[in-house]
Amino acid sequence: MTGPGPAGEGLWRDLAPQTLARLLRTYGSSQFDLCEDAVQEALLDAHVRWATDPPDDPQAWLATTARRRYADRVRSDKRRRDREGRVALLEEPLRHEGVPSDDALLLLELCCHPALSRSAQVALTLRAVAGLTTEQIANAYQLPEATIAQRITRAKRRVAELGGGFTRPGDVAERLAPVLDVLYVMFTEAHHTTRGAPAQNTDLAREAIHLARLLREAAPDSTEVAGLLALMLLTEARHPARVGPHGRLVPLDEQDRSLWDRAMVDEGLALLDHVVPGAEAGPYLLQACIAGVHAHAPSTETTDWDEIHALYTVLEHRTAGRNPMISLNRVVALGMVQGPDDALAALDALEADHPRLGRVDAVRAHLLERAGRADDAAAAYRRAIVATVNVAEQRHLQDRLRALGIPPPDRGTEDP
């Protein structure tokens, strides 16, 4: 048993959604706020007590403590008109047939209730299931923290209003789209953590893949579920080569591909071989196909950039231009196909449409460097360093700036 701190973060991430799911199954989704607060209090108790007195069964200990905290909260809630109803729930819990195979997936499905808006589904699930902070969710969607906080509060209120039992939807397809969106954002945050320290949240990536596998079992005919799982596997396979000494990010074109996890690569490619023929390609399957092209190539130079650019163009059309990050990636691929000058012109047009789009200056700096415009590239690198809060990305950009013979701006992110 590990106590608080980095070594135990994976344990906390596994236990929290499982415990919240148990409480919701017992007391009902109308008690979402109280159950979540009870779990958080139980986790605080665990952080203090387990350091010196770890339990034999952490999940049972946490569930028992959370139930006690829930009971304390209900009994002390004298200002609520429905206090008597809540006390009755303590004495006669909701009963359901069967036990879910995985509480985290069940909790995810509850948070993706069709009565919630898509934005509320995603925000609530990322908070309750993935354990992301409001800042992390806001960063993933490039929105103010206050906006995300309001979405989460309204979503929890709506779930409480819905009431009823904690049951699975009758048809998994009913909530498939928001569940896929949530898992994708989970995995994206794992590989591009808000603060970049560490550069990758391994526990969050592992949990996203675990849930994607469960979803694949529940919806074996969905090519989008298969596509998302393949995308996760092919991306996660690069992790051993993506992070170098001292947590430095290693870009794809500099990675030692012999370090890639071959088992994950093979599993991801086999999944694509199984589902792609005859499939109507959705956004996740298209992204997986792009990752598959990279996985097949032994180097950046031998990569089929024409295919990647074509896939990004289809993906951009398939998503109706709603995701400017897809357009940004297409610009990068365009630069590999037609050269940096054409890509820079396309980048200017993209920035005009999306003036607040992140990573534009980082991409611009890379293209300017390839075009031999060192002074302009340095200026773009400086702007990119100042604009990003991600420590790992800052350090990578600083390294690129140093490679041009120019010291980076002082932002307090330098290595000692």
Side-chain angles (χ1 to χ4, degrees):
M1 171 61 59
T2 55
E9 287 176 0
L11 177 63
W12 304 127
R13 188 177 301 284
D14 290 339
L15 294 181
Q18 301 283 348
T19 305
L20 178 56
R22 288 190 181 190
L23 261 66
L24 289 172
R25 263 204 330 276
T26 301
Y27 301 119
S29 60
S30 63
Q31 310 300 304
F32 197 104
D33 262 343
L34 283 178
C35 289
E36 186 180 41
D37 289 344
V39 171
Q40 292 302 314
E41 290 182 6
L43 285 170
L44 289 175
D45 287 347
H47 272 281
V48 173
R49 299 189 183 186
W50 292 8
T52 56
D53 186 22
D56 294 331
D57 187 341
Q59 182 68 81
W61 188 99
L62 198 64
T64 299
T65 303
R67 287 192 183 99
R68 289 171 181 165
R69 291 293 187 179
Y70 173 84
D72 291 342
R73 280 181 165 271
V74 170
R75 294 190 180 101
S76 64
D77 188 8
K78 297 180 180 179
R79 291 172 296 178
R80 300 285 185 110
R81 289 181 296 177
D82 59 348
R83 175 176 178 275
E84 294 302 322
R86 288 176 176 165
V87 172
L89 286 176
L90 284 174
E91 298 171 354
E92 189 175 352
L94 296 172
R95 305 184 185 281
H96 305 287
E97 295 181 0
V99 177
S101 59
D102 190 279
D103 282 338
L105 184 59
L106 183 56
L107 180 58
L108 191 153
E109 290 174 341
L110 171 71
C111 292
C112 291
H113 195 287
L116 299 176
S117 68
R118 175 63 63 86
S119 60
Q121 290 170 337
V122 174
L124 180 60
T125 310
L126 291 174
R127 183 71 186 90
V129 180
L132 299 188
T133 64
T134 304
E135 179 189 21
Q136 289 173 312
I137 302 170
N139 176 72
Y141 280 95
Q142 296 291 296
L143 291 172
E145 285 186 51
T147 300
I148 295 298
Q150 288 178 349
R151 286 183 184 178
I152 294 172
T153 299
R154 290 169 182 166
K156 289 194 289 187
R157 186 182 303 125
R158 181 61 178 140
V159 168
E161 291 171 354
L162 292 169
F166 188 41
T167 57
R168 292 187 182 279
D171 181 2
V172 68
E174 177 185 328
R175 304 182 191 179
L176 195 56
V179 169
L180 286 170
D181 288 349
V182 165
L183 293 182
Y184 180 74
V185 175
M186 279 180 65
F187 194 73
T188 300
E189 172 61 27
H191 279 262
H192 300 279
T193 56
T194 299
R195 291 292 176 185
Q200 174 172 343
N201 188 327
T202 304
D203 294 327
L204 186 59
R206 185 176 62 245
E207 178 65 11
I209 292 174
H210 168 66
L211 291 171
R213 289 189 188 280
L214 292 176
L215 196 60
R216 169 79 172 146
E217 294 176 5
D221 296 329
S222 171
T223 56
E224 278 294 81
V225 172
L228 180 59
L229 178 56
L231 174 62
M232 289 179 173
L233 292 169
L234 292 170
T235 304
E236 183 67 11
R238 303 176 197 165
H239 175 60
R242 181 175 178 264
V243 181
H246 310 296
R248 296 283 182 177
L249 287 180
V250 181
L252 179 61
D253 59 345
E254 298 177 16
Q255 289 178 15
D256 179 355
R257 301 190 180 203
S258 67
L259 298 178
W260 289 2
D261 187 320
R262 198 67 237 173
M264 277 193 171
V265 169
D266 290 343
E267 183 183 358
L269 292 177
L271 195 52
L272 288 179
D273 289 340
H274 177 69
V275 301
V276 166
E280 180 180 349
Y284 295 118
L285 187 56
L286 284 167
Q287 290 179 76
C289 289
I290 292 169
V293 175
H294 284 298
H296 276 297
S299 67
T300 299
E301 293 73 24
T302 59
T303 299
D304 189 344
W305 287 102
D306 285 299
E307 177 70 10
I308 288 179
H309 181 256
L311 287 168
Y312 269 124
T313 301
V314 174
L315 178 60
E316 192 175 32
H317 176 74
R318 182 72 173 77
T319 56
R322 290 188 300 269
N323 188 341
M325 290 304 296
I326 292 173
S327 301
L328 187 62
N329 288 330
R330 182 187 59 78
V331 168
V332 174
L334 177 65
M336 299 301 292
V337 174
Q338 296 180 199
D341 291 335
D342 286 347
L344 284 167
L347 186 63
D348 288 339
L350 178 62
E351 187 176 24
D353 292 335
H354 302 279
R356 296 181 59 188
L357 179 60
R359 298 191 66 245
V360 167
D361 280 319
V363 171
R364 187 185 305 280
H366 170 72
L367 293 171
L368 288 167
E369 186 176 356
R370 285 189 57 214
R373 297 164 56 181
D375 290 342
D376 292 336
Y381 276 128
R382 290 194 199 96
R383 292 195 302 271
I385 290 168
V386 172
T388 183
V389 298
N390 184 293
V391 175
E393 289 185 12
Q394 282 178 8
R395 289 173 176 168
H396 171 67
L397 295 168
Q398 288 165 353
D399 289 343
R400 297 307 309 161
L401 194 54
R402 290 190 188 96
L404 294 175
I406 300 171
D410 183 10
R411 277 208 55 185
T413 58
E414 293 296 315
D415 294 333

